[in-house]
Amino acid sequence: MYVKTLNGLSLNGAWKMQLMLYGCWILGFALAWLLAGNDLLQHPSLLLSVFLASGVVMIVYVLVRLKDNFRLVPKINISLETFLLAFSMALALVVVKDALAYLLPLPAWPELSFTSIHTGSFYAIIVSVMLSAFMEELLFRGIVMEALMQKYPGGVALLQSSLLFMLAHPDPAQMPGALLLGLLAGFFYLRLRDLCSCFLIHLIHNTATAVIALSGGSLQFAITDPYTYSGLVLGCTLALAAGYFMLRSITPGSAVKRPVLFAK
């Protein structure tokens, strides 16, 4: 699965799209405030709905309003090797990201953490784990990164789209992890030019993060058995490095043969 673009997108265009996303948030939050009043932050499901709806609005705007430049090609294409590599690297990233949070403590704003898991709401779990993963990958990798790659080197598109993805997570404590997730999913997209592995990485990442959150976090494990925990973090770091070099051996775009959608 991927989004074909004819004219691409400039850096200014990418930032304008991000500002439009923020605008959708503000409008959505304003409408939600009219419904919930000053207790808005006590309704995480409503906040999640605003977040999801804003991303969907942006995707629909691009694919419908800008259909002369963007077109979705909904074709599932993922090999067993890619599946296993994406699965293992996503799990390793969760462990490394979790350890990084201890080394780089940042203020947490859980009310603004759209991927927070609330055990009392099945809807919140589905949205934050599954639907948000699909929406964010389609928007930030499928649309933004793909369009930037038409005008800039792959590394520039990767870093820029990952930065925008990080800024789409307003909880400061989540930003470093969001940046790492954006870089990992973006690197898969850069090498394979297909969104299926990106969806898988994001879904596994969100699911593993949810499991850790529901189990009380890994801080207790790090305190009670620091040597084992340190070994686990080191092993996951090496796994990410090994996965990086394995992806480097893949020819960019070799995993998918794209039909010509636009005549020059």
Side-chain angles (χ1 to χ4, degrees):
M1 178 182 292
Y2 62 95
V3 176
K4 178 68 177 179
T5 176
L6 176 62
N7 301 317
L9 195 67
S10 66
L11 292 178
N12 287 338
W15 279 95
K16 287 180 181 179
M17 192 174 293
Q18 184 81 350
L19 291 176
M20 290 176 63
L21 178 61
Y22 289 156
C24 290
W25 284 356
I26 294 172
L27 179 60
F29 289 150
L31 294 175
W33 182 81
L34 292 176
L35 295 174
N38 294 331
D39 294 330
L40 176 60
L41 296 181
Q42 306 304 316
H43 299 275
S45 295
L46 186 57
L47 292 174
L48 281 167
S49 297
V50 171
F51 172 70
L52 181 64
S54 299
V56 171
V57 166
M58 288 301 306
I59 292 172
V60 171
Y61 169 78
V62 170
L63 297 181
V64 176
R65 184 67 176 83
L66 305 179
K67 61 181 179 180
D68 291 337
N69 188 23
F70 296 95
R71 189 176 303 175
L72 176 66
V73 181
K75 180 180 180 181
I76 298 177
N77 185 10
I78 185 170
S79 66
L80 177 61
E81 292 79 8
T82 301
F83 177 91
L84 294 175
L85 187 59
F87 187 93
S88 59
M89 292 186 73
L91 289 179
L93 179 67
V94 172
V95 175
V96 173
K97 180 199 71 173
D98 194 51
L100 182 63
Y102 301 141
L103 300 176
L104 185 65
L106 292 172
W109 300 346
E111 296 86 358
L112 296 179
S113 176
F114 296 116
T115 55
S116 293
I117 303 302
H118 302 274
T119 57
S121 173
F122 178 75
Y123 169 77
I125 294 177
I126 293 298
V127 172
S128 59
V129 172
M130 297 180 60
L131 298 183
S132 65
F134 182 86
M135 180 271 292
E136 289 174 347
E137 290 307 315
L138 184 55
L139 179 59
F140 288 98
R141 252 64 67 184
I143 294 175
V144 174
M145 183 174 172
E146 171 67 26
L148 288 173
M149 290 173 65
Q150 300 300 314
K151 292 192 174 184
Y152 305 96
V156 173
L158 172 61
L159 292 175
Q160 183 69 30
S161 60
S162 299
L163 176 61
L164 292 174
F165 177 68
M166 180 191 74
L167 295 176
H169 294 75
D171 183 3
Q174 283 193 324
M175 286 185 173
L179 178 62
L180 292 177
L181 175 58
L183 290 172
L184 178 60
F187 189 63
F188 265 80
Y189 189 77
L190 181 65
R191 304 305 299 177
L192 304 178
R193 303 296 297 276
D194 185 79
L195 284 172
C196 291
S197 58
C198 301
F199 292 145
L200 176 64
I201 289 170
H202 207 138
L203 179 61
I204 296 302
H205 170 274
N206 286 359
T207 302
T209 300
V211 171
I212 292 177
L214 293 175
S215 64
S218 58
L219 178 60
Q220 189 63 31
F221 176 35
I223 294 175
T224 57
D225 197 348
Y227 294 107
T228 301
Y229 182 76
S230 298
L232 177 63
V233 173
L234 177 60
C236 289
T237 302
L238 294 175
L240 286 173
Y244 167 79
F245 287 108
M246 291 177 68
L247 276 174
R248 284 286 300 270
S249 65
I250 299 177
T251 302
S254 62
V256 57
K257 295 182 179 179
R258 300 185 174 188
V260 176
L261 297 180
F262 298 96
K264 294 185 179 179

